[in-house]
Amino acid sequence: MNIYVSNLSVIVNAQDLTKHFSQYGAVASANVITDKFTNQSRGFAFVDMPDDNEARKAIAELNGTQLDGRSIVVNEARPKKERY
């Protein structure tokens, strides 16, 4: 399951997210979205967890928790809409 994580501090990286989410199960990947010009974090990321039950537990328990001093928002990622 693909998980959307927002309200991240700009210093949070993929390794931090992997460590944070791996308490709930296997993490296939973690991708912090960066600005293509400045290469600085845009404050959100996607975490992919192969087991849906583990992912749902992570979403339920991590939403609203603190990560690096910020209260993170964790939801199931919605499919990307096509742009015309």
Side-chain angles (χ1 to χ4, degrees):
M1 176 184 291
N2 201 10
I3 301 169
Y4 174 74
V5 186
S6 62
N7 200 34
L8 293 173
S9 166
V10 294
I11 62 171
V12 171
N13 61 34
Q15 292 166 321
D16 297 331
L17 286 172
T18 299
K19 183 178 178 186
H20 202 61
F21 278 80
S22 64
Q23 309 170 64
Y24 298 94
V27 174
S29 66
N31 185 19
V32 176
I33 306 304
T34 57
D35 182 281
K36 63 183 174 183
F37 299 111
T38 65
N39 209 30
Q40 185 175 9
S41 171
R42 292 182 56 198
F44 66 96
F46 294 95
V47 176
D48 187 33
M49 296 182 75
D51 185 304
D52 285 356
N53 291 327
E54 292 173 351
R56 284 188 187 89
K57 184 171 173 63
I59 291 168
E61 296 196 17
L62 291 176
N63 188 35
T65 62
Q66 295 285 315
L67 178 61
D68 201 42
R70 299 199 57 180
S71 180
I72 61 172
V73 178
V74 184
N75 294 305
E76 182 174 350
R78 292 189 297 260
K80 188 175 182 178
K81 293 182 181 173
E82 295 212 17
R83 300 197 306 191
Y84 297 98

Coordinates of all heavy atoms in Angstrom, one line a residue:
M1 N 0.8 -1.2 0.0 CA 0.0 0.0 0.0 C 0.9 1.2 0.0 O 1.9 1.3 0.7 CB -0.9 0.0 1.2 CG -1.7 1.3 1.4 SD -2.7 1.3 2.9 CE -3.9 0.0 2.6
N2 N 0.5 2.2 -0.8 CA 1.2 3.5 -0.9 C 0.7 4.4 0.2 O -0.6 4.6 0.2 CB 1.2 4.0 -2.3 CG 2.3 5.0 -2.6 OD1 3.2 5.2 -1.8 ND2 2.2 5.7 -3.7
I3 N 1.5 5.0 1.0 CA 1.1 5.9 2.1 C 1.6 7.3 1.8 O 2.8 7.5 1.5 CB 1.6 5.4 3.4 CG1 1.1 4.0 3.7 CG2 1.2 6.3 4.6 CD1 1.8 3.3 4.8
Y4 N 0.7 8.3 2.0 CA 1.1 9.7 1.8 C 1.4 10.3 3.2 O 0.6 10.1 4.1 CB 0.0 10.4 1.2 CG 0.1 11.9 1.1 CD1 1.0 12.5 0.1 CD2 -0.6 12.8 1.9 CE1 1.1 13.9 0.0 CE2 -0.5 14.2 1.8 CZ 0.4 14.7 0.9 OH 0.5 16.1 0.8
V5 N 2.5 10.9 3.3 CA 2.9 11.5 4.6 C 3.2 13.0 4.4 O 4.0 13.4 3.5 CB 4.2 10.9 5.2 CG1 4.5 11.4 6.6 CG2 4.1 9.3 5.2
S6 N 2.5 13.9 5.1 CA 2.7 15.3 4.9 C 3.1 16.0 6.3 O 3.0 15.4 7.3 CB 1.5 16.0 4.3 OG 0.4 15.8 5.1
N7 N 3.4 17.3 6.1 CA 3.8 18.2 7.2 C 5.2 17.7 7.8 O 5.4 17.8 9.0 CB 2.7 18.3 8.3 CG 3.0 19.5 9.2 OD1 3.4 20.5 8.7 ND2 2.7 19.4 10.5
L8 N 6.0 17.3 6.9 CA 7.4 16.9 7.3 C 8.3 18.1 7.4 O 8.2 19.0 6.7 CB 7.9 15.9 6.2 CG 7.3 14.6 6.1 CD1 7.9 13.8 4.9 CD2 7.4 13.7 7.4
S9 N 9.2 17.9 8.3 CA 10.3 18.9 8.5 C 11.2 18.8 7.2 O 11.3 17.7 6.7 CB 11.1 18.6 9.7 OG 12.3 19.3 9.7
V10 N 11.8 19.9 6.8 CA 12.7 19.8 5.6 C 13.9 18.9 5.8 O 14.5 18.6 4.8 CB 13.1 21.2 5.2 CG1 11.9 22.0 4.7 CG2 13.9 22.0 6.2
I11 N 14.3 18.6 7.1 CA 15.5 17.8 7.3 C 15.2 16.3 7.3 O 16.1 15.5 7.4 CB 16.3 18.2 8.5 CG1 15.4 18.1 9.8 CG2 16.8 19.6 8.4 CD1 16.2 18.3 11.1
V12 N 13.9 15.9 7.3 CA 13.5 14.5 7.3 C 13.9 13.9 6.0 O 13.6 14.4 4.9 CB 12.0 14.3 7.6 CG1 11.6 12.8 7.4 CG2 11.7 14.7 9.1
N13 N 14.5 12.7 6.0 CA 14.9 12.0 4.8 C 14.3 10.6 4.7 O 13.6 10.2 5.6 CB 16.4 12.0 4.6 CG 17.1 11.2 5.7 OD1 16.6 10.2 6.2 ND2 18.3 11.6 6.1
A14 N 14.5 10.0 3.6 CA 14.0 8.6 3.3 C 14.3 7.6 4.4 O 13.5 6.8 4.8 CB 14.4 8.1 2.0
Q15 N 15.6 7.7 4.9 CA 16.0 6.8 6.0 C 15.3 7.0 7.2 O 14.9 6.1 7.9 CB 17.5 7.0 6.2 CG 18.4 6.5 5.0 CD 19.8 7.0 5.1 OE1 20.1 8.1 5.6 NE2 20.7 6.1 4.7
D16 N 15.0 8.3 7.6 CA 14.2 8.6 8.8 C 12.8 8.0 8.7 O 12.3 7.4 9.6 CB 14.1 10.1 9.0 CG 15.4 10.8 9.2 OD1 16.3 10.2 9.8 OD2 15.5 12.0 8.8
L17 N 12.2 8.1 7.5 CA 10.8 7.6 7.3 C 10.8 6.1 7.4 O 9.9 5.5 8.0 CB 10.3 8.1 6.0 CG 9.8 9.6 6.0 CD1 9.5 10.0 4.5 CD2 8.7 9.8 6.9
T18 N 11.8 5.5 6.7 CA 11.9 4.0 6.7 C 12.0 3.5 8.2 O 11.3 2.6 8.6 CB 13.1 3.5 5.9 OG1 12.9 4.0 4.6 CG2 13.2 2.0 5.9
K19 N 12.8 4.1 9.0 CA 13.0 3.7 10.4 C 11.7 4.0 11.1 O 11.3 3.1 11.9 CB 14.1 4.6 11.0 CG 14.5 4.2 12.4 CD 15.6 5.0 12.9 CE 15.9 4.7 14.4 NZ 16.9 5.5 15.0
H20 N 11.1 5.1 10.9 CA 9.8 5.4 11.6 C 8.7 4.4 11.3 O 8.0 4.0 12.2 CB 9.4 6.8 11.3 CG 8.5 7.5 12.3 ND1 8.9 7.7 13.6 CD2 7.3 8.0 12.1 CE1 7.9 8.3 14.2 NE2 6.9 8.5 13.3
F21 N 8.6 4.1 10.0 CA 7.5 3.2 9.6 C 7.8 1.7 9.8 O 6.9 0.9 9.9 CB 7.1 3.5 8.1 CG 6.2 4.6 8.0 CD1 6.7 5.9 8.0 CD2 4.8 4.5 7.8 CE1 5.8 7.0 7.9 CE2 4.0 5.6 7.7 CZ 4.5 6.8 7.7
S22 N 9.0 1.3 9.9 CA 9.4 -0.1 10.0 C 9.0 -0.7 11.3 O 9.0 -1.9 11.5 CB 10.9 -0.3 9.7 OG 11.7 0.3 10.6
Q23 N 8.6 0.1 12.3 CA 8.1 -0.4 13.6 C 6.8 -1.2 13.3 O 6.5 -2.0 14.2 CB 7.8 0.8 14.5 CG 8.8 1.8 14.7 CD 8.3 3.0 15.5 OE1 7.8 2.8 16.6 NE2 8.2 4.1 14.8
Y24 N 6.2 -0.9 12.2 CA 4.9 -1.5 11.9 C 4.9 -2.6 10.9 O 3.9 -3.2 10.6 CB 3.9 -0.4 11.5 CG 3.7 0.5 12.7 CD1 4.4 1.7 12.7 CD2 2.8 0.2 13.7 CE1 4.2 2.6 13.8 CE2 2.6 1.1 14.8 CZ 3.4 2.3 14.8 OH 3.2 3.1 15.9
G25 N 6.1 -2.8 10.3 CA 6.2 -3.8 9.3 C 7.3 -3.5 8.2 O 8.0 -2.5 8.3
A26 N 7.3 -4.3 7.2 CA 8.3 -4.1 6.1 C 8.0 -2.8 5.3 O 6.8 -2.5 5.0 CB 8.3 -5.3 5.2
V27 N 9.0 -2.1 5.0 CA 8.9 -0.9 4.2 C 9.7 -1.1 2.9 O 10.9 -1.4 2.9 CB 9.5 0.4 4.9 CG1 9.5 1.6 3.9 CG2 8.8 0.7 6.1
A28 N 8.9 -1.2 1.7 CA 9.5 -1.4 0.4 C 10.3 -0.2 0.0 O 11.4 -0.3 -0.6 CB 8.5 -1.8 -0.6
S29 N 9.8 1.0 0.2 CA 10.5 2.2 -0.2 C 9.9 3.4 0.5 O 8.8 3.4 1.0 CB 10.4 2.4 -1.7 OG 9.0 2.7 -2.1
A30 N 10.7 4.5 0.6 CA 10.3 5.7 1.2 C 10.9 6.8 0.2 O 12.1 6.8 -0.1 CB 10.8 5.9 2.6
N31 N 10.1 7.7 -0.2 CA 10.5 8.7 -1.2 C 10.1 10.1 -0.7 O 8.9 10.4 -0.8 CB 9.9 8.4 -2.6 CG 10.4 9.3 -3.6 OD1 11.5 10.0 -3.5 ND2 9.7 9.3 -4.7
V32 N 11.0 10.9 -0.3 CA 10.7 12.3 0.1 C 10.7 13.1 -1.2 O 11.6 13.1 -2.0 CB 11.8 12.9 1.1 CG1 11.5 14.3 1.4 CG2 11.8 12.1 2.4
I33 N 9.6 13.9 -1.4 CA 9.5 14.7 -2.6 C 10.3 16.0 -2.5 O 10.1 16.7 -1.5 CB 8.0 15.0 -2.9 CG1 7.2 13.6 -3.0 CG2 7.9 15.7 -4.2 CD1 7.7 12.6 -4.0
T34 N 11.1 16.3 -3.4 CA 11.9 17.5 -3.4 C 11.6 18.4 -4.5 O 11.1 18.0 -5.6 CB 13.4 17.1 -3.4 OG1 13.7 16.4 -4.6 CG2 13.9 16.3 -2.2
D35 N 11.9 19.7 -4.3 CA 11.8 20.7 -5.3 C 12.9 20.5 -6.4 O 14.0 20.3 -6.1 CB 12.0 22.1 -4.7 CG 11.8 23.2 -5.7 OD1 12.7 23.5 -6.5 OD2 10.7 23.8 -5.8
K36 N 12.5 20.5 -7.7 CA 13.4 20.1 -8.7 C 14.5 21.2 -8.9 O 15.5 20.9 -9.5 CB 12.7 19.7 -10.0 CG 11.9 20.8 -10.6 CD 11.2 20.3 -11.9 CE 10.3 21.4 -12.5 NZ 9.6 20.8 -13.6
F37 N 14.3 22.4 -8.5 CA 15.2 23.5 -8.7 C 16.2 23.6 -7.5 O 17.4 23.7 -7.6 CB 14.6 24.8 -8.9 CG 13.7 24.8 -10.2 CD1 12.4 24.8 -10.1 CD2 14.3 24.6 -11.5 CE1 11.6 24.8 -11.3 CE2 13.6 24.6 -12.6 CZ 12.2 24.6 -12.5
T38 N 15.6 23.6 -6.2 CA 16.4 23.8 -5.0 C 16.9 22.5 -4.4 O 17.8 22.5 -3.6 CB 15.7 24.6 -4.0 OG1 14.5 23.8 -3.5 CG2 15.2 25.9 -4.5
N39 N 16.3 21.4 -4.8 CA 16.5 20.0 -4.2 C 16.2 20.0 -2.7 O 16.7 19.1 -2.1 CB 18.0 19.6 -4.5 CG 18.1 18.1 -4.6 OD1 17.1 17.4 -5.0 ND2 19.2 17.6 -4.2
Q40 N 15.4 20.9 -2.2 CA 15.0 20.9 -0.8 C 13.6 20.2 -0.7 O 12.8 20.2 -1.6 CB 14.9 22.3 -0.3 CG 14.6 22.4 1.1 CD 14.6 23.8 1.7 OE1 14.6 24.8 0.9 NE2 14.5 24.0 3.0
S41 N 13.4 19.5 0.4 CA 12.2 18.8 0.6 C 11.0 19.7 0.5 O 11.0 20.9 0.9 CB 12.2 18.2 2.0 OG 10.9 17.7 2.4
R42 N 9.9 19.2 -0.1 CA 8.7 20.0 -0.2 C 7.7 19.7 0.9 O 6.6 20.2 1.0 CB 8.0 19.7 -1.6 CG 8.8 20.2 -2.8 CD 8.1 19.9 -4.1 NE 6.8 20.5 -4.1 CZ 5.9 20.1 -5.0 NH1 6.2 19.2 -5.9 NH2 4.7 20.6 -5.0
G43 N 8.2 18.9 1.9 CA 7.4 18.7 3.1 C 6.5 17.5 3.1 O 5.6 17.3 4.0
F44 N 6.6 16.7 2.0 CA 5.7 15.5 2.0 C 6.5 14.3 1.3 O 7.5 14.5 0.7 CB 4.4 15.7 1.3 CG 4.5 16.0 -0.2 CD1 4.3 15.0 -1.1 CD2 4.7 17.3 -0.6 CE1 4.3 15.3 -2.5 CE2 4.7 17.6 -2.0 CZ 4.5 16.6 -2.9
A45 N 6.0 13.1 1.5 CA 6.7 11.9 1.1 C 5.7 10.8 0.8 O 4.5 10.9 1.2 CB 7.7 11.5 2.1
F46 N 6.2 9.8 0.2 CA 5.4 8.5 0.0 C 6.2 7.4 0.6 O 7.4 7.3 0.3 CB 5.1 8.3 -1.5 CG 4.2 9.4 -2.1 CD1 4.7 10.5 -2.7 CD2 2.8 9.2 -2.0 CE1 3.9 11.4 -3.3 CE2 2.0 10.2 -2.5 CZ 2.5 11.3 -3.1
V47 N 5.5 6.5 1.3 CA 6.1 5.3 1.9 C 5.3 4.2 1.3 O 4.1 4.1 1.4 CB 6.0 5.4 3.4 CG1 6.6 4.1 4.0 CG2 6.8 6.6 4.0
D48 N 6.0 3.1 0.8 CA 5.3 2.0 0.3 C 5.6 0.8 1.2 O 6.7 0.4 1.5 CB 5.9 1.7 -1.1 CG 5.1 0.5 -1.8 OD1 3.9 0.4 -1.6 OD2 5.7 -0.2 -2.6
M49 N 4.4 0.2 1.7 CA 4.5 -1.0 2.5 C 3.8 -2.1 1.8 O 2.6 -1.9 1.5 CB 3.9 -0.7 3.9 CG 4.6 0.4 4.7 SD 3.9 0.7 6.4 CE 4.5 -0.8 7.2
P50 N 4.4 -3.2 1.6 CA 3.8 -4.3 0.8 C 2.6 -5.0 1.5 O 1.7 -5.4 0.8 CB 4.9 -5.3 0.6 CG 6.1 -4.9 1.4 CD 5.8 -3.5 1.9
D51 N 2.6 -5.0 2.8 CA 1.5 -5.7 3.6 C 0.4 -4.6 3.9 O 0.7 -3.7 4.7 CB 2.0 -6.4 4.8 CG 0.9 -7.2 5.5 OD1 -0.1 -6.6 5.9 OD2 1.2 -8.4 5.7
D52 N -0.8 -4.7 3.3 CA -1.9 -3.8 3.6 C -2.3 -3.7 5.0 O -2.6 -2.6 5.5 CB -3.1 -4.1 2.7 CG -2.9 -3.7 1.3 OD1 -1.8 -3.2 0.9 OD2 -3.8 -4.0 0.5
N53 N -2.3 -4.8 5.8 CA -2.7 -4.7 7.2 C -1.6 -4.0 8.0 O -2.0 -3.2 8.9 CB -2.8 -6.2 7.7 CG -4.0 -6.9 7.2 OD1 -5.1 -6.2 6.9 ND2 -3.9 -8.2 7.0
E54 N -0.4 -4.2 7.7 CA 0.7 -3.4 8.4 C 0.6 -2.0 8.1 O 0.8 -1.1 8.9 CB 2.1 -4.0 8.1 CG 2.3 -5.4 8.6 CD 3.6 -6.0 8.1 OE1 4.3 -5.4 7.2 OE2 4.0 -7.1 8.6
A55 N 0.3 -1.7 6.8 CA 0.2 -0.3 6.4 C -0.9 0.4 7.0 O -0.8 1.6 7.5 CB 0.1 -0.2 4.8
R56 N -2.1 -0.2 7.2 CA -3.3 0.4 7.8 C -3.0 0.6 9.3 O -3.4 1.7 9.8 CB -4.5 -0.5 7.7 CG -5.1 -0.5 6.3 CD -6.4 -1.2 6.2 NE -6.9 -1.3 4.8 CZ -6.6 -2.2 4.0 NH1 -5.8 -3.2 4.3 NH2 -7.0 -2.2 2.7
K57 N -2.3 -0.3 9.9 CA -1.9 -0.1 11.3 C -0.9 1.1 11.5 O -1.1 1.9 12.4 CB -1.2 -1.4 11.9 CG -0.9 -1.3 13.4 CD -0.5 -2.7 13.9 CE 0.0 -2.7 15.3 NZ -0.9 -2.3 16.3
A58 N 0.0 1.2 10.6 CA 1.0 2.3 10.6 C 0.2 3.7 10.4 O 0.5 4.6 11.1 CB 2.0 2.2 9.5
I59 N -0.7 3.7 9.5 CA -1.5 4.9 9.2 C -2.3 5.3 10.5 O -2.3 6.4 10.9 CB -2.5 4.7 8.0 CG1 -1.7 4.6 6.7 CG2 -3.5 5.9 7.9 CD1 -2.5 4.2 5.5
A60 N -3.0 4.3 11.1 CA -3.8 4.6 12.2 C -3.0 5.1 13.4 O -3.4 6.0 14.1 CB -4.6 3.3 12.6
E61 N -1.8 4.5 13.6 CA -1.0 4.8 14.8 C 0.0 6.0 14.6 O 0.3 6.6 15.6 CB -0.3 3.6 15.3 CG -1.3 2.5 15.7 CD -0.7 1.4 16.6 OE1 0.4 1.6 17.1 OE2 -1.3 0.3 16.7
L62 N 0.4 6.3 13.4 CA 1.3 7.4 13.2 C 0.7 8.7 12.8 O 1.3 9.7 13.0 CB 2.3 6.9 12.1 CG 3.3 5.8 12.5 CD1 4.2 5.5 11.3 CD2 4.2 6.2 13.6
N63 N -0.5 8.7 12.3 CA -1.2 9.9 12.0 C -1.3 10.8 13.2 O -1.8 10.4 14.3 CB -2.6 9.7 11.4 CG -3.2 10.9 10.9 OD1 -2.5 11.8 10.3 ND2 -4.5 11.0 11.0
G64 N -0.8 12.0 13.1 CA -0.8 13.0 14.2 C 0.3 12.9 15.2 O 0.4 13.7 16.2
T65 N 1.2 11.9 15.0 CA 2.4 11.8 15.9 C 3.5 12.8 15.5 O 3.5 13.4 14.5 CB 2.9 10.4 15.9 OG1 3.4 10.0 14.6 CG2 1.9 9.3 16.3
Q66 N 4.4 12.9 16.4 CA 5.5 13.8 16.2 C 6.7 13.1 15.5 O 7.1 12.0 15.8 CB 6.1 14.4 17.6 CG 5.1 15.2 18.3 CD 4.9 16.6 17.7 OE1 5.9 17.3 17.4 NE2 3.7 17.0 17.6
L67 N 7.2 13.8 14.5 CA 8.5 13.4 13.8 C 9.3 14.6 13.6 O 8.9 15.5 12.9 CB 8.2 12.7 12.5 CG 9.4 12.2 11.7 CD1 10.2 11.2 12.5 CD2 9.0 11.6 10.3
D68 N 10.5 14.6 14.3 CA 11.4 15.8 14.2 C 10.7 17.1 14.6 O 10.9 18.1 13.9 CB 12.0 15.8 12.9 CG 13.3 16.7 12.9 OD1 14.1 16.5 13.9 OD2 13.6 17.5 12.0
G69 N 9.9 17.0 15.7 CA 9.2 18.2 16.2 C 8.0 18.7 15.4 O 7.5 19.8 15.7
R70 N 7.5 17.9 14.5 CA 6.3 18.3 13.7 C 5.3 17.2 13.8 O 5.6 16.0 13.7 CB 6.7 18.6 12.3 CG 7.7 19.8 12.2 CD 7.8 20.4 11.0 NE 6.6 21.0 10.4 CZ 6.6 21.7 9.3 NH1 7.8 21.8 8.6 NH2 5.5 22.2 8.8
S71 N 4.0 17.6 13.8 CA 2.9 16.7 13.9 C 2.6 16.2 12.4 O 2.2 17.0 11.6 CB 1.7 17.3 14.5 OG 0.6 16.4 14.5
I72 N 2.9 15.0 12.1 CA 2.8 14.5 10.7 C 1.4 14.0 10.4 O 0.6 13.6 11.3 CB 3.8 13.4 10.4 CG1 3.6 12.2 11.3 CG2 5.2 13.9 10.5 CD1 4.5 11.0 10.8
V73 N 1.0 14.1 9.2 CA -0.3 13.7 8.7 C 0.0 12.4 7.8 O 0.8 12.5 6.9 CB -1.0 14.8 7.9 CG1 -2.4 14.2 7.3 CG2 -1.2 16.0 8.7
V74 N -0.7 11.3 8.1 CA -0.5 10.1 7.4 C -1.8 9.5 6.9 O -2.7 9.3 7.7 CB 0.2 9.0 8.4 CG1 0.5 7.7 7.6 CG2 1.5 9.6 9.1
N75 N -1.8 9.3 5.6 CA -3.1 8.8 4.9 C -2.7 7.8 3.8 O -1.5 7.8 3.4 CB -3.8 9.9 4.3 CG -4.4 10.9 5.2 OD1 -5.1 10.6 6.1 ND2 -4.1 12.2 5.0
E76 N -3.7 7.0 3.4 CA -3.5 6.2 2.2 C -3.4 7.1 1.0 O -4.2 8.1 0.9 CB -4.6 5.2 2.1 CG -4.4 4.3 0.9 CD -5.5 3.2 0.8 OE1 -6.3 3.1 1.7 OE2 -5.6 2.6 -0.3
A77 N -2.4 6.9 0.2 CA -2.2 7.8 -1.0 C -3.3 7.5 -2.0 O -3.7 6.4 -2.2 CB -0.8 7.5 -1.6
R78 N -3.7 8.6 -2.6 CA -4.8 8.5 -3.6 C -4.0 8.4 -5.0 O -2.9 8.9 -5.1 CB -5.6 9.7 -3.6 CG -6.5 9.8 -2.4 CD -7.5 10.9 -2.5 NE -6.9 12.2 -2.6 CZ -6.8 13.1 -1.7 NH1 -7.2 12.8 -0.5 NH2 -6.2 14.3 -1.9
P79 N -4.7 7.7 -5.9 CA -4.0 7.6 -7.3 C -3.8 9.0 -7.9 O -4.6 9.9 -7.7 CB -5.0 6.8 -8.1 CG -5.9 6.2 -7.1 CD -5.9 7.0 -5.9
K80 N -2.7 9.1 -8.6 CA -2.4 10.4 -9.2 C -3.4 10.6 -10.4 O -3.6 9.8 -11.2 CB -1.0 10.3 -9.8 CG -0.5 11.6 -10.3 CD 1.0 11.5 -10.7 CE 1.5 12.8 -11.2 NZ 2.9 12.7 -11.6
K81 N -3.9 11.8 -10.4 CA -4.9 12.2 -11.5 C -4.1 12.6 -12.7 O -3.0 13.2 -12.6 CB -5.8 13.4 -11.1 CG -6.7 13.0 -9.9 CD -7.6 14.2 -9.6 CE -8.5 13.8 -8.5 NZ -9.3 14.9 -8.0
E82 N -4.6 12.2 -13.9 CA -4.0 12.6 -15.1 C -4.1 14.1 -15.4 O -5.2 14.7 -15.1 CB -4.6 11.8 -16.3 CG -4.3 10.4 -16.2 CD -4.2 9.7 -17.6 OE1 -4.0 10.5 -18.5 OE2 -4.3 8.5 -17.6
R83 N -3.0 14.7 -15.8 CA -3.1 16.1 -16.1 C -3.1 16.3 -17.6 O -2.5 15.6 -18.4 CB -1.8 16.8 -15.6 CG -1.8 16.7 -14.1 CD -0.8 17.6 -13.4 NE 0.5 17.7 -13.9 CZ 1.5 18.3 -13.2 NH1 1.3 18.9 -12.1 NH2 2.7 18.3 -13.7
Y84 N -3.9 17.3 -18.1 CA -4.0 17.5 -19.5 C -3.2 18.6 -20.0 O -2.9 19.5 -19.4 CB -5.5 17.7 -19.9 CG -6.3 16.5 -19.5 CD1 -7.1 16.4 -18.3 CD2 -6.4 15.4 -20.4 CE1 -7.8 15.3 -18.0 CE2 -7.2 14.3 -20.1 CZ -7.9 14.3 -18.9 OH -8.6 13.2 -18.6

